[in-house]
Amino acid sequence: MSSRLFLILFLVITGSVQAQTILKGTVYEGKSSRKLSNVFVRDINSKEVSLTDNSGNFSIRTVINHTLIFSSPGYVSDTLYLVDLNPKHIELSFRNITLNTVNVTSTRSFNPREEYPDVYEKSKFALSPSRIFGKEAKNARRLKHYFDRETDERQIDSIFNAAYVSSVVPLKGQDLENFMTLYRPTLAFLKKTPRSSLTLYLNDSYKKFMALPPEKRGLQKLSAQ
């Protein structure tokens, strides 16, 4: 076998192996045909991460015997142990409660810049058009936006949590969850609002909540500005 033919075969085999390390699939809402966008996909072995696109599709670098976690606020997270790299059909069950329990229950500090430095590096704009408009850079910018939003949500939950809210208003169980979803404040609101004013906001919101017909509680989110 000539060295040139050997090189060609090597490149073909190498390309095939590299192609096989990209897992693709689609995430659906339960058994329905609805495809879920912005589902966070994480390889817990390599810490490689990805997000589903607007059509619910994802692609992530991974290998057989790794484990992937699929998570999205309002849905039960799903774990997938890879025995092959065939395209995957993932179904996330809708969570009955309305709080963002998937992403915010951890008390560990969340610092995505330290955990995923490659994402922030690849998300930077550069002079090269291929760097700005390339698929990898676009995905990195989507992930950065996701992490920034997640950081804000965790800051909100550090203040606006069930323990504090239930100490101010006489609600519990599903009513408390519905109330906290309906009147969840923005981070900007919390930053400019002292704790005493936040208590007044909760009391005022509680009166509005109780004035709603039972069937209207929990249907439409009313954010503090």
Side-chain angles (χ1 to χ4, degrees):
M1 180 182 296
S2 68
S3 59
R4 182 176 181 182
L5 180 58
F6 178 82
L7 177 60
I8 292 174
L9 287 175
F10 175 78
L11 292 175
V12 170
I13 294 173
T14 301
S16 176
V17 170
Q18 289 178 341
Q20 289 175 0
T21 63
I22 302 296
L23 176 71
K24 296 184 178 182
T26 307
V27 181
Y28 295 83
E29 182 180 88
K31 300 294 183 181
S32 73
S33 60
R34 184 191 175 206
K35 300 176 181 179
L36 298 177
S37 62
N38 291 320
V39 174
F40 186 53
V41 186
R42 181 175 187 264
D43 184 322
I44 65 174
N45 301 95
S46 66
K47 290 191 175 181
E48 190 78 23
V49 292
S50 182
L51 286 175
T52 57
D53 60 21
N54 291 334
S55 298
N57 300 317
F58 70 89
S59 63
I60 186 171
R61 292 188 182 89
T62 188
V63 295
I64 292 174
N65 296 328
H66 277 204
T67 300
L68 304 183
I69 301 293
F70 298 81
S71 60
S72 181
Y75 296 86
V76 179
S77 296
D78 189 30
T79 302
L80 175 66
Y81 178 76
L82 295 176
V83 296
D84 59 54
L85 294 175
N86 297 327
K88 303 303 178 185
H89 178 110
I90 306 299
E91 298 176 357
L92 294 187
S93 301
F94 188 73
R95 187 178 292 272
N96 289 330
I97 62 174
T98 52
L99 296 181
N100 294 332
T101 53
V102 173
N103 293 325
V104 299
T105 52
S106 174
T107 57
R108 182 174 62 85
S109 60
F110 180 63
N111 191 335
R113 289 183 180 274
E114 290 185 359
E115 293 188 45
Y116 307 102
D118 289 347
V119 169
Y120 283 82
E121 179 61 29
K122 292 175 182 177
S123 70
K124 293 179 180 178
F125 285 95
L127 296 178
S128 170
S130 62
R131 177 68 180 274
I132 296 175
F133 300 108
K135 183 177 180 180
E136 192 172 27
K138 288 181 179 179
N139 288 338
R141 287 194 289 273
R142 289 184 66 232
L143 280 164
K144 178 181 178 296
H145 178 70
Y146 176 92
F147 289 145
D148 291 344
R149 186 174 66 248
E150 177 71 2
T151 300
D152 288 351
E153 291 300 316
R154 292 196 182 207
Q155 289 186 60
I156 294 173
D157 282 284
S158 68
I159 301 172
F160 191 80
N161 51 62
Y164 169 65
V165 175
S166 63
S167 72
V168 178
V169 299
L171 295 172
K172 60 182 180 180
Q174 191 64 51
D175 283 340
L176 176 62
E177 292 163 0
N178 289 343
F179 174 81
M180 291 182 65
T181 299
L182 280 167
Y183 298 99
R184 182 177 177 82
T186 62
L187 182 59
F189 175 83
L190 290 177
K191 284 183 174 180
K192 69 180 181 182
T193 304
R195 184 58 66 97
S196 58
S197 296
L198 181 57
T199 300
L200 292 175
Y201 164 75
L202 286 174
N203 285 323
D204 182 60
S205 298
Y206 172 71
K207 294 177 183 177
K208 295 177 182 178
F209 180 76
M210 296 306 295
L212 291 173
E215 66 274 11
K216 294 294 185 180
R217 298 171 187 173
L219 295 180
Q220 182 180 2
K221 183 176 178 180
L222 307 175
S223 298
Q225 302 300 324

